[in-house]
């Protein structure tokens, strides 16, 4: 995962808080589990596909993990994706933990 550009979300009231974006390159179709359990604030996770993190949102989750943390568990085709750790609304921020697990289908 590599830090990348800021972006917006379709869930979590737009998730306009400060965010961190990471690039994930999958050489083959894989199961990807991204989770923010252990974070200190109300997180939102979204995944984008394409050349730019500001376009192509394909998954978004707000509160799918423990408490107010987020969880995305999806099968993704080979390619480049952007995983965004964001905050609910416009004022959720703090220390976060992002765990991403990639496994063969």
């Amino acid at each position: 995962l590599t830090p990348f550009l800021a972006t917006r979300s379709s869930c979590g009231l737009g998730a306009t808080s400060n965010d961190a974006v990471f690039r994930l390159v999958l050489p083959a179709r894989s199961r990807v589990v991204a989770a923010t359990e252990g974070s200190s604030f109300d997180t939102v996770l979204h995944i984008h596909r394409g050349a730019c993190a500001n376009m192509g949102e394909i998954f978004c989750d707000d509160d799918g993990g423990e408490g107010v943390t987020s969880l995305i568990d999806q099968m993704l085709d080979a390619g480049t994706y952007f995983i965004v750790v964001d905050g609910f609304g416009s004022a959720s921020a703090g220390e976060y933990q992002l765990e991403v697990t990639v496994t063969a289908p």
Side-chain angles (χ1 to χ4, degrees), residues 5-9 14-17 19 21 46 48 53-55 84 86:
L5 305 170
T7 188
R8 297 191 65 161
S9 168
T16 56
S17 296
D19 54 2
V21 182
H46 35 116
H48 299 252
N54 287 324
M55 297 184 201
V84 182
D86 215 333

Side-chain angles (χ1 to χ4, degrees), residues 1 15-16 18 20 44 50 52 72-76 78 102-103:
L1 294 175
T16 56
N18 291 333
V44 174
C52 179
I72 294 177
D73 183 349
Q74 294 291 328
M75 291 297 298
L76 299 178
V102 178
T103 55

Side-chain angles (χ1 to χ4, degrees), residues 29-93:
R29 183 170 172 80
S30 303
R31 178 181 178 201
V32 175
V33 179
T36 60
E37 187 173 337
S39 297
S40 68
F41 63 100
D42 188 352
T43 62
V44 174
L45 275 177
H46 35 116
I47 296 179
H48 299 252
R49 181 157 192 188
C52 179
N54 287 324
M55 297 184 201
E57 180 182 88
I58 56 174
F59 300 105
C60 187
D61 180 74
D62 175 30
D63 300 342
E66 289 291 319
V68 293
T69 65
S70 302
L71 173 70
I72 294 177
D73 183 349
Q74 294 291 328
M75 291 297 298
L76 299 178
D77 291 329
T80 300
Y81 296 86
F82 299 94
I83 299 175
V84 182
V85 178
D86 215 333
F88 181 83
S90 62
S92 293

